[in-house]
Amino acid sequence: MMPGPGCWSVSVAAVFILAVAVSQVRGGLYSPDEPLVSLAGATRSLLLGSSSSWLAEFYASWCGHCAAFRPTWSALARDVQDWRPAVYLAVLDCAEESNSNTCNEFGVTGYPTLQFFKAFAGSPSEGVRVPASSVQEIRQHIIDRLEEQKESPPPACPPLEPISAPELEQFFANNNEAYLAVIFEDAKMYMGREVALDMVQYEGVSVRRVVKDQTDLVEKFNVSSFPAGFLISKNGSTSRINLGEETRSAYAKFLRSLPGVQRGKHALIGWSETSLVATESPKRQADSAKVYMADLESALHYSLRVEVARFATLDGERLKALSNFINVLRKYFPARPYLRTLLNSANSWLRARAKTKVSYKDFEDVLNNKNQAQKAVLSSDVRYVGCQGSKPQFRGFPCSLWTLFHVLTVQASEVATLGRIRPAPREVLLAMRGYVQHFFGCRECAQHFERMAQESMRNVRSLDEAIVWLWERHNRVNKRLAGAQSEDPAFPKVQWPTAALCPLCQSKADMSWNLPSVLDFLKAHFGKKNLADEYLEDEEVLLEKQKTAHNATQKRDKRDVTDEEKKSEIIQNRDDTENTLDDPREDDDEEKSDAYDKKPEAHPHQRPSIIKMKHVSHLQVEEEILDLDSYGPNMFPSRSLQDSSLHKGNHALHPKTLVEPRDAEFDEAAVRDRLLKRGVDANYLIGVVVERGEVNWKGRWVKMLEVGFSRLDISLCVVLYFLSSMCLLAMYLYMSLRTRCLRQRCSYLQV
Ligand code: FAD
């Protein structure tokens, strides 16, 4: 094989032996016997700085469209397996949590995502998106991308540009090959380049293309129809390659059969043997008539820690979608107590940052209860029960997400019947729509769902209609997916509920649905009483795990603090001490009021004030009231009782009259703007108003008066005031004594 200009020979490339320890992920769609490389645990070292080009598929094993794309990707891998080591095809399952940071780093926001990395790529951002289309189209994309690498092509890559007449003249003088195959073709054709790449691993022959408008060579070889192939031997003979059909495979077969042409020795990167030590989760017994809390919590964990984590920063519509999602969760999700606290914290935190830009890292701190100020926890892994598939790649997350939203639509209606709040009919559906649109990794699923939502979601007029709308749309999806690649054979897609689950729901005669029975069934099935807590990890255990992780992070962070950081910490601490010396209790109170609801940073000109407002959160009170409703004594009896007494107490302290209507939108930005217009720094005031639902007017005016003064200022004022009063008093005493003296002296003289 002849090295092309700028290309090294394949034999040189062959010395690049990479010992790659890769592991097959549990739910992976691909197997080690395919000509693919698993990137698990080695993505950076494989894709970056490599002497090969790479086309990587980032997928999620639970994503139906990834399952549908699997045969195409496998066929492509087989089709171009002989192009290695010029170009490799690789896979990474982003559904596997151990890979999710890597997927985020490589900017993967939907599945499947194909990215091409040129040889010697330096950073993840150099990945070029390739559409997940047909085998032929992707193959042609690979060639286009390889051709773009003129300056540093993969050493093993043959020259893909057309050969010129002088190059052809000098070919055997410059190359140690027995043959040169020249393929004449239309400029738009890819066959010549495909055959050249098909011969990457073979020695003794080179393949070059000539395009139709290279008239000098076309005339010299007397070519009248395209494509046409010629074989030129080192001994000077030239012959027309006569094949039954002018196809890529026919050419490759012919060239590989030439005497002296043989496959070279290449150490190719493969799917390591370690991949076979896959571990599957234990089988969990599930009853199809129940809804498992473990599935719902898994959906929360995965959506918030994996799906949302794909976006390093959150703002605009995406942030709003997250905020709405969290809001419906904290309102209607029948969460266990510590999870409920966490959802409330996350909600307040997000609301305080509406219309800003937040980093996922900061939001993750809230999810991890980083400051440990309260007992708040979200499960740290997935544990599917009702949604466990017969194989790891089936069911799981999408199943749990559907279930979660069915539960939320039903819970919204349950909460409404208790009469405490009146949820908007489409509140849960809109939150789901926002989540799916902005975060659901299966992008094609999201597009389908969005189409359904656009069609008819606006027609939903009541909470019951919302329940039925979601059920009906889910059944449409079931119908579309019946028999698809993503279907778990053990859980066929059916029109649900089946007669076994709900005998009255569907008429046996004409299979029509009896909607009132369906609604009753859905309310019972996704109702609180039907939530099973088997396989749930105890919240105290989760909390313990959280503490351990927290301590480990703290230790690591301490080690990582550089001298520079230490210096700035000292300065910061000095300032803080100065500010807190006045009244240390005030900060304690503030921290208790909401562990995460840090106020936006103070304006640089502002100095801390001696007068600190109290955060009295009526919103919190309402949330606590909801608490009572949402976990009934049958689920968590002791907690439910504990909390009810607590809430009653709180409620008495905060009369309902002070509470703004819960569903009225609180426009924090507008308030901020208004205050700014009045010349008042809204940041300074925002602590009073961010607690949506309550505006502490008294606190606000007190707060306004203190603008511009620090505690130190005010302390000094008090001291000066005191000293000047003392001076005045002293002067007064002195003067009155002196006057008395003078009077006495006068009367003495008169006497
Ligand atoms: P799922 O369909 O996930 O159902 C989960 C559980 O809900 C079932 O076990 C059952 O108990 C219950 N259930 C079933 N039907 C209903 C119903 N009608 N009403 C109430 N409860 C029901 N995959 C694709 O390949 N293409 C897509 O376009 C696509 N779109 C999706 C859109 C959304 C919004 C979501 C969340 C998922 C989507 N999926 C799509 C995934 C797909 O719908 C399934 O979730 C996945 O294949 C797993 O199926 P499953 O067998 O676990 O049951």
Side-chain angles (χ1 to χ4, degrees), residues 73-87:
W73 190 250
S74 293
L76 179 71
R78 283 193 301 278
D79 189 69
V80 300
Q81 60 181 316
D82 289 329
W83 298 13
R84 298 172 298 173
V87 60

Side-chain angles (χ1 to χ4, degrees), residues 611-643:
I611 309 164
K612 279 238 166 181
M613 73 212 164
K614 272 228 190 271
H615 283 238
V616 184
S617 167
H618 291 276
L619 182 73
Q620 268 184 351
V621 175
E622 287 234 323
E623 280 158 358
E624 312 262 48
I625 294 164
L626 251 182
D627 237 357
L628 274 176
D629 303 334
S630 49
Y631 52 91
N634 53 336
M635 277 182 70
F636 311 107
S638 55
R639 289 258 155 69
S640 166
L641 276 173
Q642 267 171 26
D643 287 0

Side-chain angles (χ1 to χ4, degrees), residues 1-3 9-10 158 176-177 196 199-200 202-207:
M1 180 92 210
M2 183 204 80
S9 73
V10 175
N176 188 22
E177 300 282 15
M199 299 304 290
V200 158
Y202 288 80
E203 289 167 357
V205 62
S206 262
V207 181

Side-chain angles (χ1 to χ4, degrees), residues 68 438 559:
H438 290 284
R559 273 204 308 273

Side-chain angles (χ1 to χ4, degrees), residues 62-65 288 290 386-387 394-403 406 432 436 440 442 444-446 448-449 452 470-478 480-481 484 486-488 491-497 501 522 525-526:
W62 52 258
C63 161
H65 286 274
S288 61
K290 283 187 185 168
C387 283
F394 292 129
R395 314 193 72 214
F397 176 60
C399 167
S400 68
L401 193 67
W402 275 122
T403 314
H406 288 301
M432 175 177 184
V436 169
F440 194 37
C442 176
E444 295 204 33
C445 304
H448 282 135
F449 187 78
M452 291 196 295
L470 194 60
W471 160 77
E472 210 272 317
R473 293 324 182 258
H474 190 168
N475 263 347
R476 283 195 197 181
V477 176
N478 291 346
R480 184 160 46 81
L481 298 180
S486 56
E487 185 181 60
D488 186 339
F491 297 89
K493 298 263 190 276
V494 290
Q495 290 303 284
W496 193 92
L501 278 176
L522 293 172
H525 185 79
F526 294 110

Side-chain angles (χ1 to χ4, degrees), residues 717-737:
C717 276
V718 171
V719 170
L720 284 173
Y721 182 78
F722 177 75
L723 286 177
S724 54
S725 323
M726 296 311 287
C727 275
L728 282 172
L729 190 68
M731 277 167 73
Y732 171 74
L733 288 173
Y734 172 73
M735 293 303 283
S736 57
L737 269 174

Side-chain angles (χ1 to χ4, degrees), residues 527-540:
K528 236 173 6 217
K529 286 194 185 129
N530 201 34
L531 295 183
D533 55 9
E534 280 109 303
Y535 301 105
L536 263 186
E537 213 167 355
D538 189 85
E539 279 207 308
E540 295 294 345

